[in-house]
Amino acid sequence: MPTLLNGTAVAAAIRQEVAAEVKSLTARGIRPGLAAVLVGNVAASHIYVSSKVKSCEELGIFSDLITPPETVTTEEMLGLVADLNARDDIDGILIQLPLPKHVDAKRLLDAISPAKDVDGFHPVNAGRLQSGRPALAPCTPAGVIEILKRSGIALSGKHAVVVGRSDIVGKPAAMLLLHENATVTICHSKTADLPSITRQADILVAAIGRPGFITPEMVKPGATIIDVGINRITDRAEFDKFFAGDAKREEIFTRRGSTIVGDVHPAAFELASAYTPVPGGVGPLTIAMLMSNTVRAAKMRRGL
Ligand code: NDP
């Protein structure tokens, strides 16, 4: 029976540690602060940002929610970022993506002070991460490492295969695994004979964005599977492909008209020694690591 790696429990432990650290910093007159910038009216972005702000409140972190209108220009956003870079009560700046098409997202993200880049997307932080210097690492890959380490899964000397090479998930996940002394292979859409590579993985990280893409024949029995994918499915035939006979999922799907599936087919988990479920695996760690990065940024900025 594979072990289920409970991301909700790991995230709760991290949040508790962060709250304790915030309390002790606040007692010393340093209250970590996060600015969350939410442009326009994308419903999913509203939900994500609200839960980030709520998390700040729960952990004692100061938060400032800034909501420029959909019509905001790149220049106006650059002005806002410059203000936030200069504010002493703000340790972390988060610009919720996606931005409207007319806003130059890369220019904005590059304008955030690397010291306040709690998403870890700035090229300076990417470079620092790569060269093994203290860096603010992107939250989702940092969460992947936390769940592996806190679950006692050995990484040193293991073959980790990361499917996906985005700057936000795949590449930094590979880099973090390398720093843990795993032997790392990165795969992508042009990789030839992908199953022959994924079958070599002791640790298989799926960050692809395709529902149920990793099937049982792509998995080495006994592997640890980390499923980063979050894909909403609404189609009945697709639902049946993944969850036929799963009464709990059936109830959710009937009630909401949709459910979430990862990048790994649920049948593949049965071959694993341990795996992160979707939902309840990597997802909860992303916000926990954002909180942790905010506190880290507050300390690093003050040389603590
Ligand atoms: P991107 O779309 O930026 O990257 C997807 C990667 O998958 C690319 O590198 C792409 O290759 C690769 N890929 C696509 N198709 C294939 C294929 N057929 N074979 C092999 N590789 C393929 O996605 P993200 O990295 O941003 O996100 C990945 C997943 O993680 C998504 O499901 C997303 O929803 C989820 N996610 C979850 C988070 C969480 O909090 N749990 C946070 C962020 C993302 P190529 O580079 O060649 O195009």
Side-chain angles (χ1 to χ4, degrees):
M1 207 41 189
T3 304
L4 189 145
L5 305 175
N6 184 341
T8 309
V10 173
I14 293 170
R15 289 163 64 98
Q16 227 171 41
E17 291 161 18
V18 170
E21 206 160 8
V22 171
K23 202 170 161 195
S24 101
L25 284 169
T26 306
R28 295 161 65 187
I30 303 163
R31 187 174 181 206
L34 177 72
V37 182
L38 171 64
V39 180
N41 289 314
V42 178
S45 295
H46 270 269
I47 295 170
Y48 292 142
V49 171
S50 305
S51 49
K52 290 168 185 174
V53 168
K54 186 163 161 261
S55 265
C56 285
E57 280 163 17
E58 287 164 358
L59 305 189
I61 295 171
F62 166 71
S63 66
D64 190 356
L65 174 61
I66 300 159
T67 54
E70 180 87 25
T71 52
V72 72
T73 63
T74 302
E75 295 306 322
E76 286 165 339
M77 286 291 286
L78 285 169
L80 172 62
V81 168
D83 287 345
L84 295 172
N85 282 341
R87 269 173 64 178
D88 198 45
D89 60 338
I90 294 299
D91 297 293
I93 302 170
L94 166 111
I95 298 183
Q96 185 64 43
L97 302 176
L99 288 165
K101 283 204 173 60
H102 66 272
V103 176
D104 187 340
K106 278 214 168 122
R107 243 180 107 195
L108 276 189
L109 296 179
D110 288 359
I112 294 175
S113 160
K116 296 191 177 188
D117 168 40
V118 282
D119 265 333
F121 295 163
H122 196 286
V124 166
N125 278 319
R128 293 183 71 86
L129 176 64
Q130 177 166 336
S131 55
R133 291 174 172 76
L136 293 164
C139 301
T140 302
V144 167
I145 298 297
E146 285 296 324
I147 199 165
L148 285 166
K149 285 172 105 175
R150 290 175 187 243
S151 306
I153 290 168
L155 297 174
S156 182
K158 301 293 179 191
H159 187 181
V161 175
V162 181
V163 188
R165 58 171 164 180
S166 72
D167 291 335
I168 294 171
V169 188
K171 271 187 221 161
M175 203 47 66
L176 289 165
L177 286 160
L178 186 62
H179 290 325
E180 296 299 329
N181 297 317
T183 300
V184 182
T185 304
I186 307 176
C187 303
H188 47 78
S189 66
K190 306 291 186 290
T191 297
D193 195 5
L194 181 64
S196 73
I197 300 172
T198 55
R199 271 198 303 270
Q200 295 172 31
D202 301 310
I203 317 274
L204 179 58
V205 179
I208 308 159
R210 288 176 163 231
F213 181 83
I214 301 289
T215 48
E217 57 278 10
M218 297 171 80
V219 172
K220 172 162 97 173
T224 295
I225 304 179
I226 303 295
D227 189 354
V228 182
I230 301 179
N231 309 289
R232 184 170 295 280
I233 51 170
T234 52
D235 180 64
R236 180 80 227 182
E238 204 170 22
F239 175 86
D240 287 340
K241 199 166 93 189
F242 299 125
F243 300 117
D246 182 334
K248 203 169 146 207
R249 288 279 188 166
E250 181 69 52
E251 191 272 319
I252 295 171
F253 190 71
T254 308
R255 186 158 40 88
R256 297 192 190 148
S258 69
T259 191
I260 302 288
V261 65
D263 289 342
V264 179
H265 193 297
F269 292 140
E270 286 162 29
L271 293 171
S273 58
Y275 72 97
T276 57
V278 176
V282 175
L285 284 156
T286 300
I287 294 187
M289 296 315 293
L290 175 70
M291 300 296 111
S292 169
N293 269 355
T294 303
V295 172
R296 188 136 183 264
K299 287 165 62 184
M300 280 166 66
R301 199 157 67 84
R302 292 169 178 87
L304 299 175

